[in-house]
Amino acid sequence: MVRTRIGDRAFFRALKTLNKDYLFRAATWSDFIRAFSKTSGQDLGPFMGQWLTRSGGPALSFDKVTRRRKGGGWQLSGTIVQEASPVYELTLPLLVETERGNVQRNLVLSKKRTAFNLPVRYRPKRIILDPGADVFRILSAEELPPTVNLIKGAKDVALVVTDNCQADEGTLHDLLESMGQGGAPIVTEKNPGKVRLADHDLLFCGVPQQKHLSLDFPAGIKAAPKEFTIDDIRYKDFYDLLFVVTQHPLAVGKLAALLLPLSRDAAQKYALKITHYGKYGYLVFSGGENRRKGTFSPSGNVVEFRDKQ
């Protein structure tokens, strides 16, 4: 963050000075602050101090971002909202993807709401907040790609058994135990009882049939009770199984996972393997082994523009 704020020349001059003056000696954060302040001609004490002495961090998001033609080009306008008390002073990178390349701008934030107006030459396709994760901040749920690990680490998981679930009760209990969710309630899709599904991260066994529980899968994945498709490859064999993590159908910020074995034998054969693929968002087991695995791109803090705008 210091490098972004003062530029490469001042940043590396300060590091060379620190290396020369403190080689084989202990240096403090105050020594770093003085070195960076001297080479940049700025007092960096307040800026660096806030990150070194405070707990937590800022949560940043877009609000009311629009694009419009202006002269021979385009202008992006909007607001960056900072959730922190007191607010942090920081330099935030913004990346604008246009029809003819990318444009990056740095925006200085020092209050709860900071308006911006960014002129660009070519039609903007989307704008991304902190694309390289260069700012220390609290990530929103939408910025974390849905993965097996997020289900394993969720506080309130419920397992929902559908009419087309091809797994027996013992296998489902073993799956929950393997994921550290042994205490999760198990309910049926038709009768969840006292379990309010919107309050839990969900693990479905079988494809939900009720419209309000329909799962929205990323592009390339389709699931039906007796088969599934990944990138136009169709799976319908007795020993095929899909596990995929996606967004909750009822609650923003929560997750839902689908366990789709095409037979009870497939469920028994692969269920306990799922926990070992924690960093992935989808898994395909077929023919006795894992055939496909991958992670979806997160969607948070990105504003996309439709061509008709």
Side-chain angles (χ1 to χ4, degrees), residues 74-107:
W74 294 79
Q75 180 167 287
L76 292 174
S77 301
T79 300
I80 302 296
V81 179
Q82 180 181 166
E83 296 293 339
S85 183
V87 296
Y88 287 80
E89 179 187 351
L90 58 92
T91 302
L92 177 67
L94 298 176
L95 180 70
V96 181
E97 294 182 353
T98 78
E99 59 189 359
R100 296 193 185 181
N102 299 338
V103 178
Q104 182 159 318
R105 297 284 187 269
N106 291 327
L107 187 65

Side-chain angles (χ1 to χ4, degrees), residues 47-93:
F47 170 73
M48 294 182 66
Q50 65 187 342
W51 305 104
L52 300 173
T53 59
R54 290 176 58 179
S55 60
L60 307 173
S61 60
F62 284 118
D63 186 36
K64 298 179 180 178
V65 179
T66 62
R67 71 175 182 180
R68 66 182 179 90
R69 286 189 177 274
K70 185 175 182 181
W74 294 79
Q75 180 167 287
L76 292 174
S77 301
T79 300
I80 302 296
V81 179
Q82 180 181 166
E83 296 293 339
S85 183
V87 296
Y88 287 80
E89 179 187 351
L90 58 92
T91 302
L92 177 67

